Structure formats: structure tokens, C-alpha cells
Amino acid sequence: MGEDRGTSTGTTTQTQPRRVAGSGRTTDPPAALAGLGPAGGLAALRGLLARPLASYYLLLSSAGLLLLIGLTMVFSATSVRDYAEAGDAAASVTKQAIFAVIGIVAFWACQRLPASTFRSLGRPLLGAAVVLLLVLNLLVALDALFGLASLGPLRANLLWLYLGPIQVQPAELAKLALVLWGAHVIARKGAALGWWKELATPLFPVVGLLFVLVGYNDLGSMLCLLAIVVGLLWAAGVRLRVFAALSAVGLAGIGLLVAVASLGAGSGARGQENYRLARLTSFLDTPDPAKCVEDACWQMVQARNAIEHGGWFGVGLGKSSVKFGWLPAAHNDFIFAVIAEELGVVGCTVILVLFAVLAYTGLRIARRVADPFRRLAATAVTAWLVGQAVINIGGVTKLLPLTGVPLPFISDGGSALVVTLAAVGMLASFARAEPDAARALHARPPARWVRLVWAPLPPLPGARSRPAPPSAAPGSVPRARGRRPDDQAAPRGVRQDRTRGGTASERRR
């Protein structure tokens, strides 16, 4: 009689892992997965992160969830106001959804582009951004000095440039242009960045021009540009003393921009209180909420009340009270306060975790790609998006001075959303170009229609095609460098005539 191997009496048998047919790997039984402890869960997480396309899927999931949360919160923050003003509760969210669709198309287009195309787009985008900023500042100055509100179809409103029904925020385009152009310039200079002369031309003059054009009207966007520059130089390995010098110059420039608000910079006006200085003093010493009537102080107090009212789990989606006219810019710069009131600490934690995942993914892509341009651009985009989120959330929670920048993916704003999704599409292109990801995609390529509709295959690492050098004309090689006939390579199996003449005694001499 045969022995029953599936039962045992008095002893405990250990289930052996099954071997997968056709491979040398083994799979654990399902019962083992149910009892995973902390160490097993950490090992499983490491296994997931070790997959070739982990960066790509982390990027898609974090950005996609932030976009969905943003559309939901824009509807929650604007529905009552839109219904009271125009009778349509979905007016703002419909407009934001249209821009989201445009941004997804920009994401799709950017993830299909190779790195060479992004490098070639840097200079035209930078030129377009500078021209738009010059036109915007010119129109703002003409309106302030002479009351000239428009030039034909062109008109401006502080940060926005209008061409008929088209509304553009040039500072958002300047962020993406600085990423592409700065990464291209630094990657081209390479090891020469150790010299101040190489940093001074042309990087610093162009960056200084952008800082002036953007910072005169929008100090918050200028700080985002500063984060991009810091990310580029940090990824390039610039020395710490360069960062110290840049920090000193940056602080002096910020102080100057704060001072010129008394002369009409930004939304300030000559002879009135400096609103930028008021924001800074309100951060350092918050006045009594009962006596707080200024905009900066009022926003901080109302945002703090919303956070306190939300508690741990919030009052419920759509039930915020500060959005009923109490909190200015509740749908834009202060939308995080609405999230804190309606979703509580739990909802805020979800937002912070998603931005942390986005930061980890961007730096992971920068560490894994081999191309210097991709590494620099990925680091700069990560510094831009995460730095802007930190500035916004820090200002709302009173951990940082209030500057007035939107929260990426979430705040209401078309230009910012489209440009942000385009930058994420570029990161997705870089994630697919990681060496392990490219090899995995070429080993098991998706269907042809998927490659045509979604994204083509990235180039294999080390498979860069180089044109063959032109054949040298007769007599072009110097006589001293010409190879002798006995050094020429002979076909395999064929030996040249190596017969040496003379007697043995003559050869020994």
C-alpha cells in the first residue's frame, strides 16, 4: 500500500513551495501570504518597487489621484458660489475639467517624445515665455501709469494675459521653459560647471531676467523658479559655496521685491500699505483675530479656523463653512484649507502622502536614468512641483509666509494645470526610458495598436546609433601614422607570409 503524503499523525508537516513549470522559480502557497508580518510586508514592498516599470506606475497613480481630488475639491469649493451668481453649480468645475482634458492630451503628447525633442524645445519655449512676460508687464505698467487697459485684443490683469477669450499665465510657461532650457545648458557644459565663468554665461543672466519679469508681479512664482534652479544645480553637483552665494543673492532679491511693492509692484499701489511686508509681519506676529481686517491677516485667521473646525475626520465633503464668502481665494490658493475643514487631518494626510510619493518617484527617475539631460530635467520638475506644494501648504497652515501660489493638480486654474500635466508627461517619458524599463518593454513589447495609441517603445540603453566615419581619401593619413603592411588585420584562418630571409646567424645578430 502506498503511503499517504498529504496527512501526518502526531507531527506537523511543512508545505513545500510549488515550482512553476518551465522556470526555476518557486511560488509560495497562498496561506503563506496571509501571514505576512512587518518584515514580509517590507520585503513585498521592495519587490514591487524593484519591478522595471515601478516608477512609471507610481507616477501615473500619484498624479492621477491628485487630479481627481483636485476636480472634486474645486466643485466643492465653487458650487455654491457659482449657483448663487449664475445659477449653474458646475460652471467652475466644468471649465476646470476642460483644462484637465487638455492637460491629459499634453501629458499623452509629452510622454511620446524623446529627450532630443525636449532639448530642442527649450530655447523656443524660453523665448516665448520671455516675450509673453514682457507684454504682460508692459500692459500692467500702461494700466497703472496711463489707465490704458488694453492694446487691441490684448489686455492684462496682474498675472494673466488675455488674447480675446484665451487666458494665459506666462509665469507657468516660464517654469517649464526654465526646466528644459536649464537642463540642456547644464548637460552640455558637463564637468566645466566647476568654473564660475561657465555658470555666469548664459545661465545666470537668463535666470536673473526671469526672476525680475516674474517676481515683479508674482513673488510666489519667482520662488518656484528659484526651486527649479536649486534643483538643477544640485543635480549637476555644483559646490556648496555656489549655493551659499546664490542664497545671499536670492535673499537680497526677495527683500528688494518686497520693498518695491510700495511703488506699485504686484497688486500694491503707491502710497498704500506694502502688502508683501504686511504678509511677512503677519507671519512673524499674528495680530488679534478680532482686529484682523487686512487681506493677508484675514486669510490666515480664516484658514486656521477652517483647519481647527475640520478636526481629525472633517465635517464632510461639501459642508465647509469658510467657502461661503469668509475665505478669499478658497477655490485657488487656499483650497487646502477647504480640504482640511471637509476631510480633516485624514484628508490632508492623503494629500501629503501623494505629494511624497510624487517626490520619491521623481528623484527615483532622476537616479535611474543614464542621460544627464533626463536626470537634470527630472530633478528640476520634482523640485518645482513639490516645492510649490510646500510653499502653498506652508502658507495656508502658517508654517511659511503667505506668497499666493496655487496647489499643483488641485487648485482652480487652467494654465497651471495644463503645464503641470505636460511636465508629468515628460517625467513619464523619462520613466519609460530607465534602462531596466526599456529592456523590459523591448523583451515583451505591447501590442502594435498600444504603441501607436499610447506610447512608442523607448530606445534601448547603449543602442545609440552613430553614423560611420567617412572613409579617408588617399594620402590623407600622415606617413608617420600609417600602418605597416604586416600590421594589417588578415582574415581568420589566413596567415600572412612571415618568411624571413637570411641565415640563422644573420637573424641572431
Side-chain angles (χ1 to χ4, degrees):
M1 296 177 63
E3 182 181 358
D4 187 3
R5 297 177 181 270
T7 60
S8 60
T9 58
T11 60
T12 302
T13 60
Q14 184 177 3
T15 306
Q16 298 296 328
R18 293 184 293 107
R19 184 175 297 275
V20 179
S23 66
R25 296 177 299 173
T26 59
T27 58
D28 294 332
L33 296 177
L36 280 179
L42 185 59
L45 178 61
R46 289 175 178 172
L48 291 175
L49 294 178
R51 292 177 179 268
L53 290 171
S55 300
Y56 183 72
Y57 292 123
L58 282 174
L59 183 67
L60 290 184
S61 59
S62 59
L65 287 174
L66 285 171
L67 179 60
L68 289 176
I69 294 173
L71 292 174
T72 304
M73 296 312 302
V74 166
F75 177 71
S76 175
T78 60
S79 57
V80 176
R81 184 200 63 186
D82 290 343
Y83 184 78
E85 293 178 356
D88 183 8
S92 295
V93 73
T94 302
K95 183 179 178 181
Q96 185 75 354
I98 293 174
F99 282 112
V101 172
I102 298 174
I104 292 174
V105 173
F107 169 89
W108 171 80
C110 288
Q111 79 156 353
R112 298 178 60 89
L113 299 179
S116 58
T117 304
F118 288 114
R119 298 187 77 156
S120 61
L121 286 175
R123 185 174 296 178
L125 281 180
L126 183 66
V130 170
V131 170
L132 290 176
L133 287 169
L134 286 173
V135 173
L136 174 65
N137 286 293
L138 176 62
L139 291 175
V140 171
L142 290 176
D143 188 16
L145 296 176
F146 306 105
L148 187 60
S150 62
L151 288 176
L154 283 175
R155 58 189 180 90
N157 181 15
L158 191 60
L159 307 179
W160 290 271
L161 187 64
Y162 298 89
L163 179 58
I166 301 176
Q167 176 182 351
V168 180
Q169 192 171 358
E172 298 297 330
L173 182 61
K175 297 173 186 177
L176 182 59
L178 181 59
V179 169
L180 298 180
W181 179 81
H184 171 65
V185 169
I186 295 178
R188 187 180 59 188
K189 288 183 178 294
L193 283 175
W195 299 90
W196 275 95
K197 181 180 178 181
E198 298 297 330
L199 282 174
T201 55
L203 185 64
F204 284 172
V206 174
V207 169
L209 176 63
L210 285 178
F211 282 4
V212 172
L213 293 178
V214 173
Y216 185 79
N217 289 326
D218 189 358
L219 183 59
S221 295
M222 194 213 74
L223 293 177
C224 296
L225 294 178
L226 181 61
I228 293 174
V229 174
V230 171
L232 286 171
L233 297 180
W234 176 71
V238 175
R239 300 172 183 175
L240 292 178
R241 60 184 180 183
V242 176
F243 284 101
L246 288 178
S247 300
V249 174
L251 289 175
I254 292 173
L256 181 61
L257 290 174
V258 170
V260 296
S262 300
L263 303 177
S267 58
R270 186 184 296 272
Q272 296 183 0
E273 183 182 6
N274 189 323
Y275 76 100
R276 289 176 177 171
L277 184 60
R279 288 179 174 180
L280 184 60
T281 54
S282 298
F283 167 74
L284 297 175
D285 185 15
T286 304
D288 185 5
K291 302 178 181 179
C292 191
V293 294
E294 296 87 358
D295 288 341
C297 174
W298 178 261
Q299 284 179 310
M300 286 185 178
V301 171
Q302 294 302 323
R304 187 172 61 184
N305 292 338
I307 296 172
E308 182 181 0
H309 187 205
W312 284 98
F313 301 101
V315 298
L317 187 62
K319 297 181 179 180
S320 171
S321 59
V322 295
K323 64 184 181 183
F324 293 101
W326 292 98
L327 180 62
H331 63 291
N332 193 353
D333 297 346
F334 277 81
I335 197 169
F336 190 77
V338 178
I339 296 174
E341 185 178 12
E342 294 187 351
L343 304 180
V345 175
V346 176
C348 295
T349 304
V350 171
I351 301 295
L352 295 177
V353 169
L354 289 176
F355 275 111
V357 172
L358 184 65
Y360 165 78
T361 306
L363 296 179
R364 172 190 168 103
I365 295 171
R367 182 173 60 89
R368 288 173 175 253
V369 293
D371 182 21
F373 171 79
R374 289 191 178 103
R375 182 179 68 250
L376 292 165
T379 307
V381 169
T382 306
W384 157 25
L385 298 179
V386 178
Q388 183 169 331
V390 170
I391 293 172
N392 177 274
I393 296 174
V396 172
T397 57
K398 205 177 177 298
L399 296 176
L400 292 173
L402 185 62
T403 54
V405 294
L407 186 60
F409 302 100
I410 297 179
S411 292
D412 186 17
S415 300
L417 184 60
V418 172
V419 174
T420 298
L421 290 177
V424 174
M426 181 177 65
L427 277 180
S429 173
F430 297 166
R432 291 170 57 87
E434 291 181 5
D436 292 341
R439 294 189 190 99
L441 289 172
H442 280 270
R444 298 184 61 182
R448 184 176 180 84
W449 69 270
V450 175
R451 285 178 283 168
L452 291 175
V453 172
W454 185 242
L457 289 176
L460 279 172
R464 186 180 301 172
S465 59
R466 296 182 180 179
S471 58
S476 61
V477 181
R479 183 180 300 272
R481 298 183 61 183
R483 294 195 297 180
R484 295 178 298 178
D486 57 342
D487 290 332
Q488 299 292 337
R492 181 173 295 182
V494 179
R495 296 179 61 86
Q496 294 181 355
D497 186 13
R498 296 187 179 181
T499 305
R500 290 176 290 182
T503 62
S505 60
E506 290 175 350
R507 290 198 302 269
R508 282 195 296 270
R509 294 196 194 105

